[in-house]
């Protein structure tokens, strides 16, 4: 494939590589959450408690937080198609290790390795997807790529859980490893070779470009948006069974509704973000806050709760492609690092939000506690957005000035 891959497209249709990258993100989104659906099976087979089996999720999250920016730096001078393909191969290897071993420590190590590969892929995939689509369609392309992760919640995780219950918990890991190898071959073929005459990536330049305060405001927004939505989502099952009175068997169906909303929201956010990014950001922030507030008050009503959880996915995830697009745009000399830190910020927000929510659910607030925590965090969203908007409308220092101050 020629370097024409990197030119802005002349039509509104997304390049094929955008959808292949979305498929890779789909696989990685599936493995991040599929464990939650088969924890009892894993615990029973390995002879450990369900709580200890849950460390497979915790270790993966830590790997994403720490590993994403680290891997983006370590692979900075590699061809992006090599980084993406290699990440998928390592992803596949990690899954084979999990599927073969009975040593829980080895399993945790493999999950951490898989998280490193996932972080590397997500960071570079966002840059490649945005660049392949061109500046005018970058947000829409990011919506499609990130939509793969949202679609994982709708299709991948339920199918993985079903497979784990039907053919054994190791089955989904074998399936994901095979699919990852196929995706690696497709990515290597479709992602173009970057021109050798282009600027050679520099770690120093990447770090220097991150001094723009707007990048850090966007990263703060990334942490807040996931912290608010996923503080509530992480404990939505007790909310539904204790407050709403929905049977446990119906909970997965409600979660599918959340996943559908998140998938639609990610794509709509990418679409509207290409034209009116700040309008989309403020509307989504306001609606997320209102939805969480309404859940605090109305979670005893089953019909309204189901609708509100769908809306939480719709508005809570709508800003993700816009925020990543902004981070990559502001740090234009450090797109990979900016994308990587965005992913880390999302996971940091998720970890902190769910951690605080864990204390709230044990308080007198009960199942309503995590939702209230989410609403409080959501209110903080307006602070970085407002400062970011003010900075966007004020004159920015020239690149020469920034270079001179280095």
């Amino acid at each position: 494939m020629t370097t024409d891959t990197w030119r802005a497209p002349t039509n509104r249709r997304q390049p094929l590589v955008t959808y292949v990258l979305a498929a890779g993100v789909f696989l990685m989104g599936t493995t991040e959450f599929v464990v939650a659906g088969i924890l009892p099976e894993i615990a029973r087979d390995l002879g450990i408690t369900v709580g200890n089996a849950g460390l497979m999720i915790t270790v993966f999250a830590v790997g994403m937080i720490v590993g994403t920016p680290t891997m983006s730096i370590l692979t900075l001078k590699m061809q992006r198609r090599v980084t993406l393909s290699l990440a998928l191969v390592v992803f596949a290897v990690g899954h084979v290790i999990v599927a073969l071993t009975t040593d829980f420590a080895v399993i945790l190590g493999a999950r951490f390795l898989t998280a490193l590969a996932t972080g590397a892929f997500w960071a570079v995939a966002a840059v490649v997807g945005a660049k392949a689509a061109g500046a005018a369609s970058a947000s829409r392309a990011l919506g499609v790529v990130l939509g793969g992760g949202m679609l994982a919640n709708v299709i991948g995780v339920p199918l993985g859980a079903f497979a784990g219950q039907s053919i054994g918990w190791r089955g989904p890991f074998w399936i994901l490893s095979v699919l990852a190898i196929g995706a690696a071959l497709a990515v290597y073929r479709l992602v173009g070779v970057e021109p050798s005459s282009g600027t050679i990536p520099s770690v120093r330049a990447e770090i220097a470009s991150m001094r723009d305060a707007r990048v850090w405001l966007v990263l703060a927004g990334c942490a807040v948006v996931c912290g608010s939505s996923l503080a509530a989502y992480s404990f939505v099952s007790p909310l539904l069974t204790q407050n709403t009175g929905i049977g446990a068997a119906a909970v997965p169906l409600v979660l599918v509704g959340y996943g559908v909303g998140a998938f639609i929201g990610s794509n709509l956010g990418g679409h509207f973000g290409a034209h009116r990014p700040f309008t989309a950001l403020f509307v989504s922030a306001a609606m997320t806050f209102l939805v969480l507030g309404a859940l605090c008050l109305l979670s005893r009503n089953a019909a309204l709760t189901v609708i509100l959880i769908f809306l939480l996915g719709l508005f809570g995830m709508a800003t993700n492609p816009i925020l990543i697009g902004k981070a990559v745009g502001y740090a234009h000399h450090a797109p990979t690092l900016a994308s990587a830190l965005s992913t880390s910020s999302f996971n940091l927000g998720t970890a902190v939000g769910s951690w605080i929510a864990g204390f709230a659910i044990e308080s007198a607030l009960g199942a309503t506690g995590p939702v209230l925590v989410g609403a409080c965090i959501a209110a903080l969203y307006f602070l970085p957005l407002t400062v970011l908007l003010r900075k966007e409308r004020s004159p920015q220092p020239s690149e020469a000035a920034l270079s001179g101050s280095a």
Side-chain angles (χ1 to χ4, degrees):
M1 205 167 183
T2 68
T3 56
D4 288 344
T5 305
W6 300 100
R7 296 176 185 169
T10 56
N11 53 45
R12 295 176 61 86
R13 181 178 298 175
Q14 295 295 324
L16 177 60
V17 68
T18 302
Y19 298 98
V20 174
L21 294 172
V25 171
F26 170 82
L27 296 179
M28 294 176 175
T30 297
T31 201
E32 186 171 6
F33 296 108
V34 72
V35 173
I38 51 177
L39 279 179
E41 289 78 10
I42 295 173
R44 191 181 311 116
D45 182 60
L46 297 177
I48 58 177
T49 66
V50 172
N52 282 337
L55 289 174
M56 293 175 67
I57 301 173
T58 304
V59 166
F60 193 96
V62 172
M64 287 287 288
I65 293 170
V66 177
T68 306
T70 303
M71 294 305 296
S72 72
I73 292 294
L74 293 178
T75 61
L76 186 60
K77 296 189 177 183
M78 294 175 61
Q79 283 279 331
R80 285 177 176 143
R81 70 170 182 170
V82 174
T83 300
L84 291 168
S85 301
L86 184 60
L88 284 163
V89 171
V90 173
F91 177 91
V93 170
H95 282 70
V96 170
I97 293 173
V98 171
L100 288 175
T101 188
T102 58
D103 189 319
F104 189 56
V106 174
I107 289 175
L108 293 180
R111 287 289 288 175
F112 186 81
L113 177 67
T114 303
L116 294 181
T118 299
F121 186 91
W122 276 49
V124 179
V127 175
V128 172
K131 201 166 186 179
S137 299
S139 289
R140 292 177 58 223
L142 285 168
V144 174
V145 173
L146 297 179
M150 306 304 168
L151 192 61
N153 290 324
V154 183
I155 299 176
V157 172
L159 284 180
F162 176 76
Q165 294 169 1
S166 302
I167 61 177
W169 72 267
R170 300 176 191 272
F173 288 89
W174 283 114
I175 295 170
L176 287 168
S177 65
V178 172
L179 293 176
I181 293 297
L185 295 174
V187 165
Y188 190 82
R189 181 172 181 177
L190 288 173
V191 176
V193 178
E194 295 165 89
S196 57
S197 59
T199 303
I200 299 176
S202 163
V203 173
R204 180 178 296 179
E206 288 262 330
I207 295 174
S209 292
M210 297 297 295
R211 288 179 302 179
D212 190 333
R214 294 175 299 173
V215 177
W216 295 100
L217 289 168
V218 170
L219 296 180
C222 291
V224 171
V225 70
C226 275
S228 60
S229 299
L230 295 180
Y233 179 72
S234 297
F235 296 93
V236 71
S237 181
L239 179 78
L240 292 171
T241 55
Q242 296 174 25
N243 284 17
T244 312
I246 290 177
V251 170
L253 295 178
V254 180
L255 299 185
V256 168
Y258 173 90
V260 170
F263 177 72
I264 295 172
S266 178
N267 282 278
L268 287 179
H271 176 75
F272 288 110
H275 307 290
R276 295 181 176 274
F278 282 100
T279 299
L281 287 171
F282 275 98
V283 169
S284 295
M287 291 304 300
T288 300
F289 174 75
L290 291 175
V291 166
L292 287 167
L295 267 177
C296 289
L297 300 173
L298 304 173
S299 62
R300 304 288 176 183
N301 185 299
L304 289 177
T305 298
V306 170
I307 293 172
L308 288 169
I309 289 174
F310 168 81
L311 293 177
L312 180 62
L314 181 70
F315 291 107
M317 296 294 107
T319 61
N320 290 17
I322 308 173
L323 291 171
I324 293 181
K326 285 288 184 186
V328 170
Y330 292 144
H332 55 282
H333 290 310
T336 306
L337 182 57
S339 175
L341 288 173
S342 298
T343 302
S344 288
S345 297
F346 286 132
N347 281 274
L348 177 62
T350 300
V352 173
S354 59
W355 177 66
I356 298 173
F359 289 103
I361 199 170
E362 299 295 334
S363 71
L365 294 169
T368 307
V371 183
L372 182 59
V373 169
C376 292
I377 296 175
L380 299 175
Y381 198 10
F382 296 98
L383 179 58
L385 287 185
T386 301
V387 177
L388 181 63
L389 180 60
R390 289 172 63 94
K391 283 189 170 293
E392 182 77 7
R393 291 177 174 176
S394 64
Q396 297 299 317
S398 65
E399 292 186 33
L402 288 173
S403 300
S405 62

